[in-house]
């Protein structure tokens, strides 16, 4: 049976775009353009995952999420146009497994969908009868996604499009810090402090060495340009 995803989004062009991408990936897709329709559909159909916009006519996304989860624990990824910490926190508190801030790259959304579906299928999740959404949200906290790259802090694993990448502890730590500070340029000194500790005495060019290792293990192998050098400032991973 194919995986059924409900897209709840009132911006028709965006909804249609996501729909086409998901159909292309082989998912079954339904769409709703307002909160009440979405809640009706979500309660009456068994979806594997719901992509839920927060700013919706009728009921807003957080209200849809709360009412839905009174009855069933369908995993929800929130789509938020506002980069608001409050929305994200309320959303995760209300049981969303993840959120993504618009505008997003479709590859990132697809990767987050795969992660959300993977958690749903984890042994134990279904034997409980309902998915423990709060627990899933917590598990999700340690997972960083960049395009097809997934860094799982708890499992201490990094994979690109499902291919596991073997990293040393310091390479792993550096990648984690860069991913956690997406769009923020980190200086070599900052990276050095965070990766090697404040009492590290040595050359700051060890940072360049680790960056080079990460690039050779990820960028070069998978043909991406993940870590960017900002001349005179440091390094950054951008969305
Ligand atoms: Ca909207």
């Amino acid at each position: 049976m194919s995986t059924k995803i409900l897209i709840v989004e009132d911006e028709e062009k965006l909804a249609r775009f996501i729909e086409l991408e998901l159909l292309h990936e082989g998912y079954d897709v339904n769409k709703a353009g307002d909160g009440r329709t979405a809640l009706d559909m979500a309660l009456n159909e068994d979806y594997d995952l719901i992509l839920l916009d927060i700013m919706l006519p009728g009921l807003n996304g957080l209200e849809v999420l709360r009412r839905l989860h009174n009855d069933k624990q369908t995993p929800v990824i929130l789509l938020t146009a506002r980069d608001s910490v409050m929305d994200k926190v309320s959303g995760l508190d209300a049981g969303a497994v993840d959120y993504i801030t618009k505008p997003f790259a479709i590859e990132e959304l697809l990767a987050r969908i795969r992660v959300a579906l993977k958690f749903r299928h984890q042994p134990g999740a279904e034997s409980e009868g309902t998915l423990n959404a709060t627990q899933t949200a917590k598990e999700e906290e340690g997972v960083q996604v960049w395009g097809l790259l997934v860094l799982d802090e708890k499992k201490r694993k990094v994979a690109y499009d499902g291919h596991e990448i073997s990293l040393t502890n310091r390479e792993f730590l550096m990648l984690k810090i860069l991913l956690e500070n997406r769009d923020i340029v980190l200086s070599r000194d900052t990276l050095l402090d965070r990766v090697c500790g404040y009492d590290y005495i040595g050359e700051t060019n060890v940072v360049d060495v680790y960056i080079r290792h990460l690039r050779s293990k990820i960028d070069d192998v998978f043909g991406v340009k993940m870590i960017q050098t900002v001349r005179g400032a440091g390094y950054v991973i951008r969305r």
Side-chain angles (χ1 to χ4, degrees):
M1 249 186 56
S2 62
T3 303
K4 284 176 73 167
I5 299 180
L6 176 63
I7 302 168
V8 186
E9 172 58 74
D10 59 321
E11 290 165 48
E12 268 175 46
K13 277 172 77 172
L14 178 60
R16 178 75 184 138
F17 171 66
I18 299 172
E19 180 186 32
L20 289 173
E21 292 288 338
L22 295 188
L23 288 171
H24 181 73
E25 295 294 312
Y27 297 116
D28 258 359
V29 184
N30 286 161
K31 278 187 303 185
D34 69 87
R36 281 181 203 285
T37 310
L39 185 61
D40 275 349
M41 291 173 77
L43 289 171
N44 291 317
E45 277 274 356
D46 283 326
Y47 291 101
D48 295 284
L49 182 69
I50 299 173
L51 305 179
L52 182 59
D53 184 29
I54 290 186
M55 300 286 278
L56 286 171
L59 290 175
N60 77 40
L62 292 177
E63 197 51 39
V64 171
L65 176 62
R66 282 191 197 100
R67 296 197 194 180
L68 170 69
H69 279 189
N70 281 338
D71 278 299
K72 61 206 286 192
Q73 298 297 319
T74 315
V76 169
I77 296 178
L78 292 171
L79 311 176
T80 166
R82 297 179 288 178
D83 199 359
S84 150
V85 175
M86 273 316 291
D87 275 351
K88 291 166 185 173
V89 170
S90 329
L92 293 175
D93 280 350
V97 295
D98 202 356
Y99 57 82
I100 188 164
T101 306
K102 292 189 267 186
F104 47 79
I106 194 69
E107 293 77 17
E108 183 173 4
L109 178 65
L110 293 174
R112 283 169 187 260
I113 288 172
R114 285 194 293 271
V115 171
L117 291 171
K118 199 176 78 193
F119 278 128
R120 184 185 52 106
H121 289 303
Q122 267 183 359
E126 277 168 349
S127 61
E128 306 269 352
T130 53
L131 178 70
N132 183 335
T134 315
Q135 190 187 341
T136 307
K138 281 199 190 110
E139 282 171 346
E140 191 64 12
E141 275 172 19
V143 177
Q144 303 279 340
V145 178
W146 181 86
L148 297 175
L149 185 94
V150 178
L151 179 146
D152 188 328
E153 201 178 326
K154 299 225 166 65
K155 293 182 185 149
R156 205 217 160 276
K157 277 189 176 165
V158 177
Y160 192 92
D161 201 12
H163 301 279
E164 205 174 309
I165 301 159
S166 161
L167 298 180
T168 66
N169 286 337
R170 283 187 171 170
E171 290 162 5
F172 183 87
L173 188 55
M174 179 157 311
L175 181 60
K176 180 172 102 73
I177 291 163
L178 285 165
L179 285 168
E180 282 171 351
N181 293 282
R182 232 167 286 190
D183 297 325
I184 299 170
V185 179
L186 298 176
S187 70
R188 285 179 175 79
D189 283 337
T190 301
L191 283 166
L192 188 71
D193 285 346
R194 305 267 317 257
V195 173
C196 300
Y198 290 94
D199 51 359
Y200 175 82
I201 299 170
E203 307 274 327
T204 51
N205 69 8
V206 296
V207 170
D208 303 293
V209 173
Y210 292 132
I211 295 284
R212 204 155 63 230
H213 289 173
L214 284 173
R215 282 177 174 155
S216 75
K217 288 179 177 182
I218 300 169
D219 295 33
D220 297 354
V221 176
F222 299 101
V224 290
K225 219 171 166 340
M226 181 176 61
I227 301 168
Q228 295 175 26
T229 307
V230 180
R231 205 171 282 278
Y235 295 104
V236 62
I237 290 179
R238 299 194 198 275
R239 266 170 219 286

